[in-house]
């Protein structure tokens, strides 16, 4: 399907386990982003990528790892999940965010860490 | 640091007009975005302002004053489907968007 997709949509895991959230976009947008959304905090940027093999930290990167070997994919890995990482995670993409281009958001992954 | 403030909640009546304010203090400014987010869904783009003034798009308008660090989103002829959260976000020139915590708007009959 065209657009931006995330998988899984829902995930329950246990403290200490590794979890990978997938994000795929079909527009060949250069920029991709990972956010988490929590009550009382709004959307906070975890990591972003300006192109394949180029990634950088956002506001809340601790405990997360990203990679971008292909333009269309931007997986987010929680190496050892903690309860504080229970959240809704959104992936987004944009052709060039500095030129007034909007970010297009995926449907989100709701992650619960027990 | 980045600081973006908007009211937490607002209530308005169907058919009325509502204004949602956003004030920002950021290290740089390269534009301000408004997004709409229905409960349980992803944010979707509403508007973008980079110059001072009013941008109108159907029932929605957005205003920016860069000297005051202030923006508002104006929704006219409110409909029940406008019940959602409205997110103000600033792009500071570093490719990143900094979001406010969002304003939850409830439209009542």
């Amino acid at each position: 399907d065209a657009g931006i997709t995330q998988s899984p949509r829902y995930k329950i895991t246990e403290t200490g386990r590794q979890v990978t959230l997938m994000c795929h976009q079909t527009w060949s947008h250069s920029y991709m982003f990972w956010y988490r959304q929590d009550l009382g905090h709004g959307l906070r940027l975890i990591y972003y990528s300006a192109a394949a093999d180029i990634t950088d930290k956002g506001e809340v990167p601790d405990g997360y790892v990203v990679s971008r070997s292909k333009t269309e994919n931007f997986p987010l890995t929680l190496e050892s999940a903690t309860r504080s990482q229970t959240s809704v995670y959104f992936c987004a993409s944009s052709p060039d965010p500095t030129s007034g281009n909007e970010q297009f958001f995926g449907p989100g992954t709701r992650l619960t860490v027990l | 640091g980045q600081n973006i403030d908007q009211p937490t909640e607002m209530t308005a009546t169907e058919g009325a007009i509502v204004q949602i304010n956003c004030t920002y203090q950021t290290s740089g400014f390269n534009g301000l975005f408004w997004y709409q987010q229905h409960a349980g869904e992803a944010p979707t783009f509403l508007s973008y302002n980079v110059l001072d003034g009013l941008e109108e798009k159907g029932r929605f308008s957005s205003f920016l004053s860069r000297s005051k660090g202030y923006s508002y989103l104006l929704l006219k002829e409110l409909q029940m489907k406008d019940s959602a959260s409205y997110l103000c976000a600033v792009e500071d020139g570093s490719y990143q968007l900094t979001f406010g915590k969002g304003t939850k708007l409830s439209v009542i009959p």
Side-chain angles (χ1 to χ4, degrees), chain A residues 27-79:
Chain A
W27 294 304
S28 299
H29 285 167
S30 296
Y31 291 84
M32 296 188 74
F33 307 84
W34 274 107
Y35 295 90
R36 59 178 291 173
Q37 188 172 39
D38 306 286
L39 278 174
H41 288 281
L43 278 163
R44 291 180 293 174
L45 183 66
I46 304 170
Y47 269 96
Y48 66 103
S49 169
D53 298 320
I54 301 175
T55 62
D56 207 347
K57 296 178 180 179
E59 179 185 354
V60 289
D62 293 343
Y64 303 95
V65 174
V66 294
S67 62
R68 192 155 176 221
S69 57
K70 293 184 178 181
T71 299
E72 61 266 30
N73 296 323
F74 191 37
L76 176 74
T77 297
L78 289 66
E79 293 190 302

Side-chain angles (χ1 to χ4, degrees), chain B residues 8-27:
Chain B
T8 304
E9 294 186 42
M10 299 182 71
T11 301
T13 305
E14 191 177 13
I17 300 173
V18 70
Q19 178 175 312
I20 302 174
N21 296 324
C22 171
T23 58
Y24 63 89
Q25 291 175 306
T26 56
S27 55

